[in-house]
């Protein structure tokens, strides 16, 4: 049996999550499911909920790693819930659990996950077109180390195809 690719999707929680975020996140979830990969999210609302919903509608497998210590906080589309009880520290667990990361907008929490993934040299693809904390780094690097370039994508399909290409390279 071949191990599934594990793709983390990060972005706006319920605060700041617009219908545009929700639509593209839903489509990213669908594309991840179609690829046969495991979707990992932070398990809560906003982009995490929409992405998980899209994956479930395509019969995909979803994993939510939530910051709370009670699984009841996870969104309804998580097949597997890991209640980390770690608060914001769970951002590192999310990043380290992934083979690659797709970014859909986001604020400081998302930036924390990006930095954790960056330090671990995880491939990352960010959807262009959002005013976010991540926008200045798309098609560039987080810092002078140039650990991993954050590749920009314009569509959900492009983002998933690119992250799979980067994971398997």
């Amino acid at each position: 049996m071949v191990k599934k690719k594990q793709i983390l999707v990060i972005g706006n929680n319920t605060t700041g999550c617009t219908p545009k975020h929700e639509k593209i996140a839903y489509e990213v979830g669908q594309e991840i499911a179609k690829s046969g990969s495991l979707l990992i999210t932070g398990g809560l609302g906003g982009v995490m909920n929409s992405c998980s919903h899209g994956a479930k509608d395509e019969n995909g497998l979803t994993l939510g790693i939530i910051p709370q210590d009670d699984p009841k906080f996870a969104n309804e589309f998580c097949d597997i819930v890991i209640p980390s009880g770690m608060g914001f520290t769970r951002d590192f667990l999310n990043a380290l659990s992934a083979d690659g990361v797709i970014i859909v907008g986001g604020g400081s929490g998302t930036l924390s996950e990006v930095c954790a993934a960056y330090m671990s040299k995880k491939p990352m693809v960010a959807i262009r077109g959002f005013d976010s904390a991540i926008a200045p780094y798309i098609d560039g690097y987080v810092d002078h180390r140039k650990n991993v370039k954050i590749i920009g994508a314009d569509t959900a399909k492009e983002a998933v195809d690119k992250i799979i290409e980067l994971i398997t390279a």
Side-chain angles (χ1 to χ4, degrees):
M1 183 170 147
V2 176
K3 176 189 164 299
K4 286 183 177 278
K5 291 171 185 64
Q6 297 180 187
I7 301 173
L8 172 66
V9 176
I10 59 177
N12 293 80
N13 197 343
T14 51
T15 305
C17 190
T18 67
K20 182 180 174 186
H21 288 100
E22 290 173 350
K23 180 182 184 301
I24 196 85
Y26 180 87
E27 293 168 356
V28 167
Q30 288 181 306
E31 293 298 327
I32 289 171
K34 288 176 188 175
S35 78
S37 301
L38 168 68
L39 169 65
I40 302 172
T41 71
L44 301 177
V47 163
M48 298 170 278
N49 183 75
S50 296
C51 190
S52 298
H53 187 179
K56 290 311 305 165
D57 282 355
E58 290 293 332
N59 298 309
L61 182 61
T62 62
L63 168 67
I65 304 173
I66 63 172
Q68 297 89 349
D69 60 4
D70 188 334
K72 74 178 180 191
F73 290 99
N75 72 59
E76 66 183 294
F77 303 107
C78 292
D79 291 311
I80 302 164
V81 176
I82 298 177
S84 72
M86 298 171 71
F88 294 126
T89 308
R90 79 82 154 78
D91 293 352
F92 288 84
L93 183 58
N94 290 356
L96 291 171
S97 297
D99 297 316
V101 181
I102 295 176
I103 309 158
V104 182
S108 60
T110 304
L111 189 56
S112 170
E113 287 172 299
V114 165
C115 289
Y118 183 80
M119 293 305 293
S120 300
K121 299 181 181 174
K122 300 288 181 166
M124 288 186 272
V125 174
I127 303 289
R128 294 185 188 98
F130 293 107
D131 181 21
S132 70
I134 311 314
Y137 305 106
I138 297 175
D139 294 316
Y141 301 92
V142 173
D143 69 10
H144 65 281
R145 291 180 192 94
K146 297 185 177 182
N147 284 348
V148 61
K149 188 174 188 177
I150 299 174
I151 306 299
D154 295 312
T155 67
K157 180 157 180 31
E158 181 186 356
V160 174
D161 288 349
K162 190 63 175 173
I163 200 66
I164 290 172
E165 177 186 318
L166 292 168
I167 289 169
T168 55

